[in-house]
Coordinates of all heavy atoms in Angstrom, one line a residue:
L237 N 92.1 18.2 110.6 CA 91.7 17.2 109.6 C 92.0 17.7 108.2 O 92.5 16.9 107.4 CB 90.2 16.8 109.8 CG 89.7 15.8 108.8 CD1 90.4 14.5 109.0 CD2 88.2 15.7 109.0
A238 N 91.6 18.9 107.9 CA 91.8 19.5 106.6 C 93.3 19.5 106.2 O 93.8 19.1 105.1 CB 91.3 20.8 106.4
E239 N 94.2 19.9 107.2 CA 95.6 19.9 106.9 C 96.1 18.4 106.6 O 97.0 18.3 105.8 CB 96.4 20.5 108.2 CG 96.2 22.0 108.3 CD 96.8 22.5 109.6 OE1 97.0 21.7 110.5 OE2 97.0 23.7 109.6
S240 N 95.6 17.4 107.3 CA 96.1 16.1 107.1 C 95.7 15.6 105.7 O 96.3 14.6 105.2 CB 95.6 15.1 108.2 OG 94.2 15.0 108.0
M241 N 94.7 16.3 105.1 CA 94.3 15.9 103.6 C 95.1 16.8 102.7 O 94.7 16.7 101.5 CB 92.9 16.0 103.5 CG 92.1 15.0 104.4 SD 90.3 15.0 104.1 CE 89.8 16.6 104.1
G242 N 96.0 17.6 103.1 CA 96.8 18.4 102.2 C 96.3 19.7 101.9 O 96.8 20.5 101.1
M243 N 95.2 20.2 102.6 CA 94.7 21.5 102.4 C 95.5 22.5 103.2 O 96.0 22.3 104.2 CB 93.2 21.5 102.9 CG 92.2 20.7 102.2 SD 90.6 20.8 103.0 CE 89.6 20.3 101.6
K244 N 95.5 23.7 102.6 CA 96.1 24.9 103.3 C 94.9 25.5 104.0 O 93.9 25.9 103.4 CB 96.7 25.9 102.3 CG 97.2 27.1 103.0 CD 97.8 28.1 102.0 CE 98.2 29.3 102.9 NZ 98.4 30.5 102.0
V245 N 95.0 25.7 105.3 CA 93.9 26.2 106.1 C 94.1 27.6 106.5 O 95.2 28.0 107.0 CB 93.7 25.3 107.4 CG1 92.6 25.9 108.3 CG2 93.4 23.9 107.0
V246 N 93.1 28.4 106.1 CA 93.1 29.8 106.5 C 91.8 30.1 107.3 O 90.9 29.3 107.1 CB 93.2 30.8 105.3 CG1 94.5 30.6 104.6 CG2 92.1 30.6 104.4
Y247 N 91.8 31.1 108.1 CA 90.6 31.4 108.9 C 90.4 32.9 109.1 O 91.4 33.7 109.1 CB 90.6 30.7 110.2 CG 91.6 31.2 111.2 CD1 91.1 32.1 112.2 CD2 92.9 30.9 111.2 CE1 92.0 32.6 113.1 CE2 93.8 31.4 112.1 CZ 93.3 32.2 113.1 OH 94.1 32.8 114.0
W248 N 89.2 33.2 109.4 CA 88.8 34.6 109.8 C 87.8 34.3 111.0 O 87.0 33.4 110.8 CB 88.1 35.4 108.7 CG 87.7 36.7 109.2 CD1 88.4 37.9 109.4 CD2 86.4 37.1 109.6 NE1 87.6 38.8 109.9 CE2 86.3 38.4 110.0 CE3 85.1 36.2 109.6 CZ2 85.2 39.0 110.4 CZ3 84.0 36.9 110.0 CH2 84.1 38.3 110.4
D249 N 87.9 35.1 112.0 CA 87.0 34.9 113.1 C 86.3 36.2 113.6 O 87.0 37.2 113.5 CB 87.8 34.3 114.3 CG 86.9 33.5 115.2 OD1 85.7 33.8 115.4 OD2 87.4 32.6 115.9
V250 N 85.1 36.1 114.0 CA 84.3 37.2 114.5 C 85.0 37.7 115.8 O 84.8 38.9 116.2 CB 82.8 37.0 114.7 CG1 82.2 36.8 113.3 CG2 82.5 35.9 115.6
I251 N 85.7 36.8 116.5 CA 86.3 37.1 117.8 C 87.8 36.7 117.5 O 88.1 35.5 117.4 CB 85.7 36.4 119.0 CG1 84.2 36.7 119.1 CG2 86.5 36.7 120.2 CD1 83.4 35.9 120.0
P252 N 88.8 37.7 117.4 CA 90.1 37.3 117.2 C 90.6 36.2 118.2 O 90.4 36.4 119.4 CB 90.9 38.6 117.3 CG 89.9 39.7 117.0 CD 88.6 39.1 117.6
K253 N 91.3 35.2 117.7 CA 91.8 34.2 118.5 C 93.2 33.7 118.0 O 93.6 34.1 116.9 CB 90.9 33.0 118.5 CG 89.5 33.1 119.1 CD 88.8 31.8 119.1 CE 87.4 32.2 119.8 NZ 86.7 31.0 120.0
L254 N 93.9 33.0 118.8 CA 95.2 32.5 118.4 C 95.0 31.4 117.3 O 94.0 30.6 117.3 CB 95.9 31.9 119.6 CG 96.3 32.9 120.7 CD1 96.9 32.1 121.9 CD2 97.3 33.9 120.1
P255 N 95.9 31.3 116.3 CA 95.7 30.3 115.4 C 95.9 28.9 115.9 O 96.6 28.7 116.9 CB 96.9 30.6 114.4 CG 97.9 31.4 115.1 CD 97.1 32.1 116.1
M256 N 95.3 27.9 115.3 CA 95.5 26.5 115.7 C 96.3 25.8 114.6 O 96.0 25.9 113.5 CB 94.1 25.9 116.0 CG 93.4 26.5 117.1 SD 91.7 25.8 117.3 CE 92.2 24.2 117.9
G257 N 97.2 24.9 115.0 CA 97.9 24.1 114.0 C 98.7 25.1 113.2 O 99.3 26.0 113.6
N258 N 98.6 24.8 111.9 CA 99.3 25.6 110.9 C 98.5 26.6 110.2 O 98.8 27.2 109.1 CB 100.1 24.8 109.8 CG 101.2 23.9 110.5 OD1 101.9 24.3 111.3 ND2 101.2 22.6 110.1
A259 N 97.3 26.8 110.7 CA 96.3 27.8 110.1 C 96.8 29.2 110.1 O 97.5 29.6 111.0 CB 94.9 27.6 110.9
T260 N 96.4 29.9 109.0 CA 96.9 31.3 108.9 C 95.6 32.1 108.9 O 94.6 31.9 108.3 CB 97.5 31.5 107.4 OG1 98.6 30.6 107.3 CG2 97.9 32.8 107.2
Q261 N 95.7 33.2 109.8 CA 94.6 34.1 109.9 C 94.6 35.1 108.7 O 95.6 35.6 108.3 CB 94.8 34.9 111.2 CG 93.5 35.7 111.5 CD 93.5 36.3 112.9 OE1 94.5 36.3 113.6 NE2 92.4 36.8 113.3
I262 N 93.3 35.2 108.2 CA 93.1 36.2 107.1 C 92.4 37.4 107.7 O 91.6 37.3 108.7 CB 92.1 35.5 106.1 CG1 92.7 34.2 105.4 CG2 91.6 36.5 105.0 CD1 93.9 34.5 104.5
S263 N 92.7 38.6 107.2 CA 92.3 39.8 107.8 C 90.8 40.1 107.7 O 90.3 40.8 108.5 CB 93.1 41.0 107.4 OG 93.0 41.2 106.0
T264 N 90.1 39.7 106.6 CA 88.7 40.0 106.4 C 88.0 38.8 105.9 O 88.5 37.9 105.3 CB 88.5 41.2 105.5 OG1 88.9 40.7 104.1 CG2 89.3 42.4 105.8
L265 N 86.7 38.8 106.2 CA 85.8 37.7 105.7 C 85.8 37.7 104.1 O 85.8 36.7 103.6 CB 84.4 37.9 106.2 CG 83.4 36.9 105.7 CD1 83.7 35.5 106.0 CD2 82.0 37.2 106.3
N266 N 85.7 38.9 103.6 CA 85.7 39.0 102.1 C 87.0 38.4 101.5 O 86.8 37.7 100.4 CB 85.6 40.5 101.7 CG 84.3 41.1 102.1 OD1 83.3 40.4 102.3 ND2 84.2 42.4 102.1
E267 N 88.1 38.6 102.1 CA 89.3 38.1 101.6 C 89.3 36.5 101.7 O 89.7 35.8 100.7 CB 90.5 38.6 102.3 CG 91.9 38.1 101.9 CD 93.0 38.6 102.7 OE1 92.8 39.4 103.6 OE2 94.2 38.1 102.5
L268 N 88.8 36.0 102.8 CA 88.7 34.6 103.0 C 87.8 34.0 101.9 O 88.1 33.0 101.3 CB 88.1 34.3 104.4 CG 88.0 32.8 104.6 CD1 88.7 32.3 105.9 CD2 86.5 32.4 104.7
L269 N 86.6 34.6 101.7 CA 85.7 34.1 100.8 C 86.2 34.1 99.3 O 86.0 33.1 98.6 CB 84.4 34.9 100.8 CG 83.6 34.8 102.1 CD1 82.4 35.8 102.0 CD2 83.1 33.4 102.3
A270 N 86.9 35.1 98.9 CA 87.5 35.1 97.6 C 88.6 34.2 97.3 O 88.8 33.9 96.2 CB 88.0 36.6 97.4
H271 N 89.3 33.7 98.3 CA 90.4 32.8 98.1 C 90.2 31.3 98.4 O 91.1 30.5 98.2 CB 91.6 33.4 98.9 CG 92.1 34.6 98.3 ND1 91.7 35.8 98.7 CD2 93.0 34.9 97.3 CE1 92.3 36.8 98.1 NE2 93.0 36.2 97.1
S272 N 89.1 31.0 99.0 CA 88.8 29.7 99.5 C 88.0 28.8 98.5 O 87.0 29.2 98.0 CB 88.1 29.7 100.8 OG 88.8 30.4 101.8
D273 N 88.5 27.5 98.4 CA 87.7 26.5 97.6 C 86.7 25.9 98.5 O 85.6 25.4 98.0 CB 88.7 25.5 97.2 CG 89.7 25.9 96.1 OD1 89.3 26.6 95.2 OD2 90.9 25.7 96.4
F274 N 86.8 25.9 99.8 CA 85.9 25.3 100.7 C 85.8 26.2 101.9 O 86.8 26.5 102.6 CB 86.4 23.9 101.2 CG 85.3 23.1 101.8 CD1 84.7 22.1 101.2 CD2 85.0 23.3 103.2 CE1 83.7 21.3 101.7 CE2 84.1 22.6 103.8 CZ 83.4 21.5 103.1
V275 N 84.6 26.7 102.2 CA 84.3 27.5 103.4 C 83.5 26.7 104.4 O 82.4 26.2 104.1 CB 83.6 28.8 103.0 CG1 83.2 29.6 104.2 CG2 84.4 29.6 102.0
S276 N 84.0 26.6 105.6 CA 83.3 26.0 106.7 C 83.0 27.1 107.8 O 83.9 27.7 108.3 CB 84.2 24.8 107.3 OG 83.6 24.2 108.3
L277 N 81.8 27.2 108.1 CA 81.3 28.3 108.9 C 81.0 27.7 110.4 O 80.2 26.8 110.6 CB 80.0 28.9 108.4 CG 79.6 30.2 109.0 CD1 80.5 31.3 108.9 CD2 78.2 30.6 108.4
H278 N 81.7 28.3 111.4 CA 81.5 28.0 112.8 C 81.6 29.3 113.6 O 82.7 29.6 114.1 CB 82.6 27.0 113.2 CG 82.8 25.8 112.4 ND1 82.2 24.7 112.6 CD2 83.5 25.7 111.2 CE1 82.5 23.8 111.6 NE2 83.3 24.4 110.8
V279 N 80.5 30.0 113.8 CA 80.5 31.2 114.5 C 79.4 31.1 115.6 O 78.5 30.3 115.6 CB 80.2 32.4 113.6 CG1 81.2 32.6 112.5 CG2 78.8 32.3 112.9
P280 N 79.6 31.9 116.6 CA 78.7 31.9 117.8 C 77.4 32.6 117.5 O 77.3 33.3 116.5 CB 79.4 32.6 118.9 CG 80.4 33.6 118.1 CD 80.8 32.8 116.9
N281 N 76.5 32.4 118.3 CA 75.1 33.1 118.2 C 75.2 34.5 118.7 O 75.1 34.7 119.9 CB 74.1 32.2 118.9 CG 72.7 32.7 118.7 OD1 72.4 33.5 117.8 ND2 71.8 32.3 119.6
L282 N 75.5 35.4 117.9 CA 75.6 36.9 118.3 C 74.7 37.7 117.4 O 74.3 37.3 116.2 CB 77.0 37.3 118.1 CG 78.1 36.6 118.8 CD1 79.4 37.1 118.4 CD2 77.9 36.8 120.3
A283 N 74.3 38.9 117.8 CA 73.5 39.7 117.0 C 74.2 40.1 115.6 O 73.7 40.2 114.6 CB 73.2 41.0 117.7
S284 N 75.6 40.2 115.7 CA 76.4 40.6 114.6 C 76.5 39.4 113.6 O 77.0 39.6 112.5 CB 77.8 41.0 115.0 OG 78.4 39.9 115.7
T285 N 76.1 38.1 114.0 CA 76.3 37.0 113.0 C 75.0 36.6 112.3 O 74.9 35.8 111.5 CB 76.8 35.7 113.8 OG1 75.9 35.4 114.8 CG2 78.2 36.0 114.3
K286 N 73.9 37.3 112.7 CA 72.6 37.1 112.1 C 72.6 37.4 110.7 O 73.0 38.6 110.4 CB 71.4 37.8 112.8 CG 70.1 37.5 112.3 CD 69.0 38.0 113.1 CE 67.6 37.6 112.4 NZ 66.5 37.9 113.2
N287 N 72.3 36.5 109.7 CA 72.3 36.8 108.3 C 73.7 37.2 107.8 O 73.7 38.0 106.8 CB 71.3 37.8 107.9 CG 69.9 37.2 108.2 OD1 69.6 36.0 108.1 ND2 68.9 38.1 108.5
M288 N 74.8 36.8 108.4 CA 76.1 37.3 108.0 C 76.5 36.8 106.6 O 77.4 37.3 106.0 CB 77.1 37.0 109.1 CG 77.7 35.6 109.1 SD 78.9 35.4 110.4 CE 80.4 35.9 109.7
I289 N 75.9 35.6 106.2 CA 76.3 35.0 104.9 C 75.0 35.0 104.0 O 74.0 34.4 104.3 CB 76.8 33.6 105.0 CG1 78.0 33.6 106.0 CG2 77.2 33.1 103.6 CD1 79.3 34.2 105.4
G290 N 75.0 35.9 103.0 CA 73.9 36.0 102.1 C 74.4 36.2 100.6 O 75.5 35.8 100.3
K291 N 73.5 36.8 99.8 CA 73.8 36.9 98.4 C 75.2 37.5 98.1 O 75.9 37.1 97.2 CB 72.7 37.7 97.8 CG 72.8 37.9 96.3 CD 71.6 38.7 95.8 CE 71.7 39.0 94.3 NZ 70.6 39.7 93.7
E292 N 75.5 38.6 98.8 CA 76.8 39.3 98.5 C 77.9 38.4 98.8 O 78.9 38.4 98.1 CB 76.8 40.6 99.4 CG 78.1 41.4 99.2 CD 78.1 42.7 100.1 OE1 77.0 43.3 100.2 OE2 79.1 42.9 100.7
Q293 N 77.9 37.8 100.0 CA 79.0 36.8 100.4 C 79.1 35.7 99.4 O 80.2 35.3 99.0 CB 78.8 36.4 101.8 CG 79.0 37.5 102.8 CD 77.8 38.5 102.9 OE1 76.7 38.2 102.7 NE2 78.2 39.8 103.2
F294 N 78.0 35.0 99.1 CA 78.1 34.0 98.1 C 78.7 34.4 96.8 O 79.5 33.7 96.2 CB 76.7 33.3 97.9 CG 76.3 32.5 99.1 CD1 75.0 32.8 99.7 CD2 77.1 31.5 99.7 CE1 74.6 32.1 100.8 CE2 76.6 30.8 100.9 CZ 75.4 31.1 101.4
A295 N 78.4 35.6 96.4 CA 78.9 36.1 95.1 C 80.4 36.3 95.2 O 81.1 36.2 94.1 CB 78.2 37.5 94.7
Q296 N 80.9 36.6 96.3 CA 82.4 36.8 96.5 C 83.1 35.5 96.6 O 84.3 35.5 96.4 CB 82.6 37.5 97.8 CG 82.2 39.0 97.8 CD 82.3 39.7 99.1 OE1 83.1 39.3 99.9 NE2 81.5 40.7 99.3
M297 N 82.4 34.4 96.8 CA 83.1 33.1 96.8 C 83.5 32.7 95.4 O 82.9 33.0 94.4 CB 82.2 32.0 97.4 CG 82.0 32.2 98.9 SD 80.8 31.1 99.7 CE 81.8 29.6 99.6
K298 N 84.6 31.9 95.4 CA 85.1 31.4 94.1 C 84.0 30.5 93.5 O 83.3 29.7 94.1 CB 86.3 30.5 94.3 CG 87.5 31.3 94.7 CD 88.7 30.4 95.2 CE 89.4 29.7 94.0 NZ 90.5 29.0 94.5
R299 N 83.9 30.6 92.1 CA 82.9 29.8 91.3 C 83.4 28.3 91.5 O 84.6 28.0 91.4 CB 82.9 30.1 89.9 CG 82.0 29.2 89.1 CD 81.8 29.7 87.7 NE 80.8 30.8 87.6 CZ 79.4 30.6 87.8 NH1 79.0 29.5 88.0 NH2 78.6 31.7 87.7
G300 N 82.4 27.4 91.8 CA 82.8 26.0 92.0 C 83.2 25.7 93.4 O 83.6 24.5 93.7
S301 N 83.2 26.6 94.4 CA 83.6 26.3 95.7 C 82.4 25.7 96.5 O 81.3 25.6 96.0 CB 84.0 27.6 96.5 OG 83.0 28.6 96.4
C302 N 82.7 25.2 97.7 CA 81.8 24.5 98.5 C 81.6 25.3 99.8 O 82.5 25.9 100.3 CB 82.2 23.1 98.8 SG 82.2 22.0 97.4
F303 N 80.4 25.1 100.4 CA 80.1 25.9 101.6 C 79.5 24.9 102.6 O 78.6 24.1 102.3 CB 79.0 27.0 101.3 CG 78.6 27.7 102.5 CD1 79.4 28.8 103.0 CD2 77.4 27.5 103.0 CE1 79.0 29.5 104.1 CE2 76.9 28.2 104.2 CZ 77.8 29.2 104.7
L304 N 79.9 25.0 103.9 CA 79.4 24.2 105.0 C 79.0 25.1 106.1 O 79.8 26.0 106.5 CB 80.5 23.2 105.4 CG 80.2 22.3 106.6 CD1 81.0 21.1 106.5 CD2 80.4 22.9 107.9
N305 N 77.8 25.0 106.6 CA 77.3 25.7 107.8 C 77.1 24.7 109.0 O 76.1 24.0 109.0 CB 76.0 26.6 107.6 CG 75.6 27.3 108.8 OD1 76.5 27.6 109.7 ND2 74.4 27.7 108.8
A306 N 78.0 24.7 109.9 CA 77.8 23.9 111.1 C 77.8 24.9 112.3 O 78.2 24.6 113.4 CB 79.0 23.0 111.3
S307 N 77.1 26.0 112.1 CA 77.1 27.1 113.0 C 75.7 27.2 113.6 O 75.3 26.3 114.4 CB 77.5 28.4 112.2 OG 77.9 29.4 113.1
R308 N 75.0 28.3 113.3 CA 73.7 28.6 113.8 C 72.8 28.8 112.5 O 73.3 29.3 111.5 CB 73.6 29.8 114.7 CG 74.5 29.7 115.9 CD 73.9 28.8 116.9 NE 74.7 28.8 118.1 CZ 75.6 27.9 118.5 NH1 75.8 26.9 117.7 NH2 76.1 27.9 119.7
G309 N 71.5 28.4 112.7 CA 70.6 28.5 111.5 C 70.4 29.9 111.0 O 70.2 30.1 109.8
H310 N 70.4 30.9 111.9 CA 70.1 32.3 111.4 C 71.3 33.0 110.9 O 71.2 34.1 110.4 CB 69.6 33.1 112.7 CG 70.6 33.5 113.7 ND1 71.0 32.6 114.7 CD2 71.5 34.5 113.7 CE1 72.0 33.2 115.3 NE2 72.3 34.4 114.8
V311 N 72.4 32.3 110.8 CA 73.7 32.9 110.2 C 73.6 33.0 108.7 O 74.2 34.0 108.1 CB 74.9 32.2 110.7 CG1 76.1 32.6 110.0 CG2 75.0 32.2 112.2
V312 N 73.0 32.1 108.0 CA 72.9 32.0 106.5 C 71.5 32.3 106.1 O 70.5 31.8 106.6 CB 73.3 30.6 106.1 CG1 73.3 30.4 104.6 CG2 74.8 30.3 106.5
V313 N 71.4 33.1 105.1 CA 70.2 33.4 104.3 C 70.0 32.2 103.4 O 70.6 32.2 102.3 CB 70.3 34.8 103.6 CG1 68.9 35.0 102.9 CG2 70.6 35.9 104.6
I314 N 69.1 31.4 103.8 CA 68.8 30.1 103.1 C 68.4 30.3 101.6 O 69.0 29.7 100.7 CB 67.9 29.2 103.8 CG1 68.5 28.8 105.2 CG2 67.5 27.9 103.0 CD1 69.7 28.0 105.2
P315 N 67.5 31.2 101.3 CA 67.1 31.5 99.9 C 68.3 31.9 99.1 O 68.4 31.5 97.9 CB 66.0 32.5 99.9 CG 65.5 32.4 101.3 CD 66.6 32.0 102.2
D316 N 69.2 32.7 99.6 CA 70.4 33.1 98.9 C 71.3 32.0 98.6 O 72.0 31.8 97.6 CB 71.1 34.2 99.7 CG 70.3 35.5 99.8 OD1 69.3 35.6 99.1 OD2 70.7 36.4 100.5
L317 N 71.5 31.0 99.6 CA 72.3 29.8 99.4 C 71.7 29.0 98.4 O 72.4 28.5 97.4 CB 72.3 29.0 100.7 CG 73.1 27.7 100.7 CD1 74.5 27.7 100.2 CD2 73.0 26.9 102.0
A318 N 70.4 28.8 98.3 CA 69.7 28.0 97.3 C 69.9 28.6 95.9 O 70.2 27.9 94.9 CB 68.2 27.9 97.6
A319 N 69.9 30.0 95.8 CA 70.1 30.6 94.6 C 71.5 30.4 94.1 O 71.8 30.2 92.8 CB 69.8 32.1 94.7
A320 N 72.5 30.5 94.9 CA 73.9 30.2 94.6 C 74.1 28.8 94.1 O 75.0 28.6 93.2 CB 74.8 30.5 95.8
L321 N 73.4 27.9 94.7 CA 73.5 26.5 94.2 C 72.8 26.3 92.8 O 73.3 25.6 92.0 CB 72.9 25.5 95.3 CG 73.7 25.4 96.6 CD1 72.9 24.8 97.6 CD2 75.0 24.6 96.3
K322 N 71.6 26.9 92.7 CA 70.9 26.7 91.5 C 71.6 27.3 90.3 O 71.5 26.8 89.2 CB 69.5 27.3 91.6 CG 68.5 26.5 92.5 CD 67.2 27.2 92.6 CE 66.3 26.4 93.6 NZ 65.0 27.1 93.8
S323 N 72.3 28.4 90.5 CA 73.0 29.1 89.5 C 74.4 28.4 89.2 O 75.1 28.7 88.3 CB 73.3 30.5 89.8 OG 74.3 30.6 90.8
E324 N 74.7 27.4 90.0 CA 75.9 26.6 89.9 C 77.1 27.5 90.2 O 78.3 27.1 89.9 CB 76.0 25.9 88.6 CG 75.0 24.9 88.4 CD 75.1 24.1 87.1 OE1 76.0 24.3 86.3 OE2 74.3 23.2 86.9
H325 N 77.0 28.6 90.9 CA 78.1 29.4 91.4 C 78.8 28.6 92.5 O 80.0 28.5 92.5 CB 77.6 30.7 92.0 CG 78.8 31.6 92.4 ND1 79.6 32.2 91.5 CD2 79.4 31.9 93.6 CE1 80.5 32.9 92.1 NE2 80.4 32.7 93.4
L326 N 78.0 27.9 93.4 CA 78.6 27.0 94.4 C 78.4 25.6 93.9 O 77.4 25.2 93.3 CB 77.9 27.1 95.7 CG 78.0 28.4 96.5 CD1 77.3 28.4 97.8 CD2 79.5 28.8 96.6
R327 N 79.4 24.8 94.1 CA 79.4 23.4 93.6 C 78.5 22.5 94.6 O 77.9 21.7 94.2 CB 80.8 22.8 93.6 CG 80.8 21.3 93.3 CD 82.2 20.7 93.2 NE 82.7 21.1 91.9 CZ 84.0 21.0 91.6 NH1 84.8 20.5 92.4 NH2 84.4 21.4 90.4
G328 N 78.6 22.9 95.9 CA 77.8 22.2 96.8 C 77.8 22.9 98.2 O 78.5 23.9 98.4
A329 N 76.9 22.3 99.0 CA 76.7 22.9 100.4 C 76.2 21.8 101.3 O 75.5 20.9 100.9 CB 75.6 24.1 100.3
Y330 N 76.6 22.0 102.6 CA 76.2 21.2 103.6 C 75.6 22.1 104.7 O 76.3 23.0 105.1 CB 77.4 20.3 104.2 CG 77.1 19.6 105.5 CD1 76.5 18.4 105.5 CD2 77.4 20.2 106.7 CE1 76.1 17.7 106.7 CE2 77.1 19.6 107.8 CZ 76.5 18.3 107.9 OH 76.2 17.7 109.0
V331 N 74.4 21.8 105.1 CA 73.8 22.7 106.1 C 73.4 21.8 107.2 O 72.5 20.9 107.1 CB 72.5 23.5 105.5 CG1 71.9 24.3 106.5 CG2 73.0 24.3 104.3
D332 N 74.0 22.0 108.4 CA 73.7 21.2 109.6 C 72.6 21.8 110.4 O 72.0 21.2 111.2 CB 74.9 21.1 110.4 CG 74.8 20.1 111.5 OD1 74.2 19.0 111.3 OD2 75.2 20.4 112.7
V333 N 72.3 23.1 110.2 CA 71.3 23.8 111.0 C 70.5 24.7 110.1 O 70.9 25.1 109.0 CB 72.0 24.7 112.1 CG1 72.6 23.8 113.1 CG2 73.0 25.6 111.5
F334 N 69.2 25.0 110.6 CA 68.3 25.8 109.8 C 67.7 26.9 110.7 O 67.7 26.7 111.9 CB 67.2 25.0 109.2 CG 67.7 24.1 108.1 CD1 68.1 22.8 108.4 CD2 67.7 24.5 106.7 CE1 68.5 22.0 107.4 CE2 68.2 23.6 105.8 CZ 68.6 22.4 106.1
P335 N 67.2 28.0 110.1 CA 66.6 29.0 111.0 C 65.4 28.4 111.8 O 65.3 28.8 113.0 CB 66.1 30.1 110.0 CG 67.0 30.0 108.8 CD 67.3 28.5 108.8
T336 N 64.7 27.6 111.2 CA 63.6 26.9 111.9 C 63.9 25.4 111.6 O 63.9 24.9 110.5 CB 62.2 27.3 111.3 OG1 62.1 28.7 111.5 CG2 61.1 26.6 112.1
E337 N 64.1 24.7 112.7 CA 64.5 23.3 112.5 C 63.2 22.4 112.2 O 62.2 22.7 112.7 CB 65.1 22.7 113.9 CG 66.4 23.3 114.2 CD 67.5 22.9 113.2 OE1 67.5 21.9 112.7 OE2 68.5 23.8 113.1
P338 N 63.4 21.5 111.2 CA 62.3 20.6 110.8 C 61.8 19.7 111.9 O 62.4 19.5 112.8 CB 62.9 19.9 109.7 CG 64.3 20.1 109.5 CD 64.6 21.2 110.5

């Protein structure tokens, strides 16, 4: 979908996989965060993905970028996401899941 809207799609995965479509694999999460205008998170429920996106990762993202978590609730540190939004470092966020569902 992103490619059809003219976006260049890059990805990094916790489990190396073959690229899909014209997507280009990036070697590290930090590199992906630093270069992306829009980050969409889709990772499995693993011990290594718990709190994988927090203050440090949000700070590495481009100012004015957007963040989407369609993954698992425990993957993102919600107070750190809120702080990145309040400081206007991030332009916006979409959170489909929470650590404790309402």
Side-chain angles (χ1 to χ4, degrees):
L237 182 61
E239 288 175 340
S240 68
M241 297 187 311
M243 294 178 161
K244 178 182 177 193
V245 177
V246 297
Y247 73 96
W248 175 83
D249 203 331
V250 295
I251 302 169
K253 295 185 179 188
L254 296 173
M256 296 178 68
N258 295 319
T260 303
Q261 187 169 13
I262 297 292
S263 59
T264 67
L265 176 60
N266 293 341
E267 182 183 357
L268 179 129
L269 295 173
H271 291 94
S272 299
D273 295 311
F274 195 101
V275 174
S276 180
L277 188 64
H278 308 268
V279 295
N281 185 19
L282 304 172
S284 62
T285 61
K286 185 172 184 177
N287 297 326
M288 79 180 277
I289 304 292
K291 182 178 181 177
E292 181 181 318
Q293 289 73 31
F294 290 124
Q296 292 175 22
M297 292 176 67
K298 292 170 70 174
R299 178 168 282 286
S301 59
C302 295
F303 178 79
L304 180 150
N305 182 21
S307 196
R308 300 289 186 259
H310 72 273
V311 172
V312 176
V313 180
I314 298 297
D316 294 349
L317 173 58
L321 289 164
K322 287 179 186 175
S323 72
E324 298 183 356
H325 184 77
L326 294 183
R327 175 179 284 168
Y330 169 84
V331 180
D332 188 44
V333 291
F334 292 91
T336 303
E337 293 294 330

